[in-house]
Amino acid sequence: MTTIDVVIADDQDLVRAGLQAILSTEPELSVVGMAGDGAEAAELARRHNADVVLMDIQMPGTDGLEGLARIAAAGPGSKVLMLTMFDLDEYVYEALRAGASGFLLKTTAPTELIRSIFACHAGDLLFAPEVTRRLIESYVARPPAVRGVPPVLGCLTARELDVFAGLARGLSNAEVGAALYLGETTVKTHVTRILAKLGLRDRVQAVVLAYECGFRQPGGEAVGEAGRFGGPTPCGNT
């Protein structure tokens, strides 16, 4: 049985022990290291080639953002799931831009935490439901709405733009496929190509880019979203 290797980073002993106890109930998860700050977390992630790092944002010494930066600088490998006590931490957007794969509250239920680690490992977009809208509307620089396809997305085909529109809404591969009448495997292939073309680490950064370039506006539809996403794609559907 393949296991997902996890590193837990939090400056509080009781929090680390509690998270370890929760993860120990799932046989497919293995806690390979526990750290008290971001520097130790980055070192443990490198040493154990960890799949997922649960990283507290606010820690004394080397905080979670610096730990995230060190992990990201090491290249593709560990996915970092940021944890915080607050539903609108001032550093959340900065963490997402730095390459975090998601954001959860420490009040998340144990079963949801375990599900989230599996989803993070699979490359899914991951936000705590309580913070998604406020996070994006509060932290993303919102340029004026654009007409047509933003230049940064010009390398995408029409179908890839359709799929990107789904990513911008935080939809899973299955949900995008259902909306566009595509198989989940086909959507996954499109997502891989989109991330490669745009030089993005994961789906989280795809959402950030969609807002930053004006492809999607907070509270609104994405520019040119097709079919069930709200209007025709400028390039058509191919």
Side-chain angles (χ1 to χ4, degrees), residues 1-235:
M1 179 177 61
T2 301
T3 60
I4 297 174
D5 292 335
V6 181
V7 167
I8 297 171
D10 194 285
D11 61 302
Q12 298 184 42
D13 294 342
L14 285 177
V15 172
R16 292 198 304 270
L19 291 171
Q20 183 183 35
I22 291 171
L23 301 193
S24 68
T25 64
E26 174 51 61
E28 293 182 49
L29 300 179
S30 175
V31 177
V32 296
M34 297 204 292
D37 66 12
E40 188 179 5
E43 172 57 26
L44 289 173
R46 182 198 62 79
R47 185 188 310 166
H48 297 287
N49 194 26
D51 297 304
V52 177
V53 178
L54 295 180
M55 182 86 77
D56 186 21
I57 291 182
Q58 296 184 348
M59 294 183 285
T62 305
D63 64 14
L65 287 177
E66 176 59 27
L68 166 63
R70 296 186 186 188
I71 292 172
S78 303
K79 296 182 182 299
V80 181
L81 187 55
M82 308 301 289
L83 299 172
T84 183
M85 284 294 296
F86 309 103
D87 64 352
L88 194 56
D89 192 290
E90 62 180 330
Y91 301 116
V92 169
Y93 180 58
E94 186 176 349
L96 294 177
R97 292 198 61 166
S101 294
F103 172 76
L104 289 177
L105 304 184
K106 288 184 179 179
T107 54
T108 299
T111 54
E112 181 63 18
L113 174 63
I114 290 175
R115 186 202 67 78
S116 297
I117 292 174
F118 280 106
C120 177
H121 181 251
D124 287 345
L125 173 66
L126 202 60
F127 290 122
E130 302 90 338
V131 305
T132 303
R133 181 174 296 277
R134 282 191 294 164
L135 168 68
I136 293 174
E137 293 191 1
S138 297
Y139 287 93
V140 175
R142 289 167 284 178
V146 299
R147 292 189 177 185
V149 179
V152 71
L153 303 181
C155 60
L156 302 183
T157 66
R159 178 54 81 193
E160 287 168 349
L161 282 170
D162 291 340
V163 174
F164 185 79
L167 296 185
R169 296 184 58 199
L171 301 182
S172 67
N173 288 347
E175 290 169 332
V176 173
L180 299 177
Y181 304 102
L182 297 174
E184 189 171 351
T185 300
T186 300
V187 174
K188 184 176 181 180
T189 298
H190 282 306
V191 170
T192 299
R193 290 175 179 170
I194 289 168
L195 297 181
K197 284 185 176 183
L198 298 177
L200 303 175
R201 175 186 173 95
D202 53 30
R203 302 165 75 99
V204 175
Q205 292 192 333
V207 173
V208 172
L209 176 62
Y211 280 86
E212 287 185 328
C213 74
F215 183 74
R216 183 170 173 82
Q217 295 294 305
E221 298 293 341
V223 173
E225 289 186 8
R228 296 176 185 268
F229 297 145
T233 302
C235 301

